[in-house]
Amino acid sequence: MGWTNEQQHRLLMEKQILSKYFPQFRWIDPAGKAKVEGVFHTNAGNSYKIRVYVPSDFPNSTPDMVVISPDPLLDYDRNDLSDEDTNPDMHIVGVKDGYIKICHYHPGSWQPSITLYKVLFKGRIWVEAFDAHLKTGKKLDKYLHHWVNN
Amino acid sequence: MPNSNENAVQTHLRDLRKHVEKGKSVPEQQLIFDPSTGQLALARTESRPLDPDTVVADQIAEEGFFS
């Protein structure tokens, strides 16, 4: 994949922001099929490894974000969440490369000004809500409300 | 002093969701993110962030999650 000069400039800015706020995240194959991976440690002490796929037309389309560990990701009832394609109650939008794809920004509302940092921030909140689900059995939509188009 | 207790943070997320649904703002406390620890925490709304890098997470949570 060849990034345009404009994209390279943008990705450099993204890297600088992430190194400040999420320094544990690393860039994978930045000149090819770029991804960002790192581990979130929740307040309860659980760890979730997250991957964000940087689309080839970045920042013009919504990046996918998946949970790559724990694998499999089991819910309160010990069901493998990747067995279902989508699960709106759990804010899961599908499966990619065998990993569950988690909700963040609505593709129809995506703006090029939205940074990977903000996408990952939603991931950080998602894993905190997932911890709450594991403790209470309540679905994630009891903690995170659904996107409303304005 | 921000409260990073997991139960308090998770309860805040649940309450924030209810408040957004009802079109109300969440009083008294806001969710913040401390990049130096990677932890979410609660701080009084009127208090100034302890660190200039501290980020208010409420706004991002209030936007909602697409699914």
Side-chain angles (χ1 to χ4, degrees):
Chain A
M1 178 192 303
W3 301 108
T4 65
N5 287 340
E6 194 176 349
Q7 284 178 309
Q8 287 179 34
H9 185 263
R10 170 63 182 260
L11 290 170
L12 181 62
M13 185 195 76
E14 298 279 355
K15 194 174 178 183
Q16 288 169 343
I17 296 171
L18 291 186
S19 68
K20 181 173 181 179
Y21 291 104
F22 295 126
Q24 74 274 33
F25 277 78
R26 298 283 177 265
W27 290 76
I28 312 290
D29 194 13
K33 294 181 177 176
K35 298 173 273 297
V36 181
E37 281 185 13
V39 177
F40 284 135
H41 301 287
T42 62
N43 288 36
N46 292 325
S47 300
Y48 298 88
K49 191 169 189 180
I50 301 293
R51 174 187 294 165
V52 174
Y53 295 84
V54 183
S56 59
D57 64 346
F58 184 77
N60 293 322
S61 63
T62 315
D64 290 330
M65 178 161 54
V66 300
V67 180
I68 59 176
S69 77
D71 183 27
L73 188 64
L74 303 178
D75 69 7
Y76 179 82
D77 296 317
R78 311 293 294 166
N79 296 315
D80 181 351
L81 287 166
S82 66
D83 286 346
E84 298 178 63
D85 192 33
T86 61
N87 190 336
D89 294 346
M90 292 295 286
H91 283 291
I92 291 170
V93 75
V95 175
K96 180 165 185 165
D97 294 343
Y99 305 116
I100 65 147
K101 220 162 50 160
I102 63 178
C103 300
H104 53 94
Y105 286 91
H106 190 296
S109 301
W110 177 260
Q111 300 287 332
S113 59
I114 299 171
T115 57
L116 294 176
Y117 159 71
K118 289 188 77 175
V119 172
L120 280 171
F121 209 123
K122 292 222 179 191
R124 176 62 183 86
I125 294 171
W126 191 97
V127 297
E128 199 68 35
F130 189 75
D131 266 6
H133 159 75
L134 291 180
K135 194 163 56 183
T136 65
K138 292 178 180 170
K139 303 290 188 184
L140 256 68
D141 68 355
K142 297 296 179 200
Y143 297 92
L144 308 175
H145 75 98
H146 289 276
W147 188 276
V148 179
N149 271 326
N150 294 316
Chain B
M1 184 72 179
N3 177 8
S4 61
N5 175 273
E6 69 198 68
N7 294 323
V9 167
Q10 292 166 6
T11 299
H12 179 82
L13 279 175
R14 194 193 60 206
D15 291 347
L16 183 66
R17 183 207 176 284
K18 288 180 184 171
H19 278 74
V20 168
E21 200 171 63
K22 293 174 182 171
K24 297 177 183 173
S25 61
V26 176
E28 296 182 5
Q29 294 194 107
Q30 62 186 356
L31 192 63
I32 60 171
F33 174 71
D34 181 350
S36 67
T37 63
Q39 298 269 289
L40 295 169
L42 294 173
R44 293 189 67 81
T45 305
E46 70 272 22
S47 66
R48 298 172 69 84
L50 298 176
D51 184 298
D53 288 339
T54 298
V55 178
V56 177
D58 270 358
Q59 188 186 355
I60 291 178
E62 284 172 6
E63 287 175 342
F65 289 70
F66 166 68
S67 58

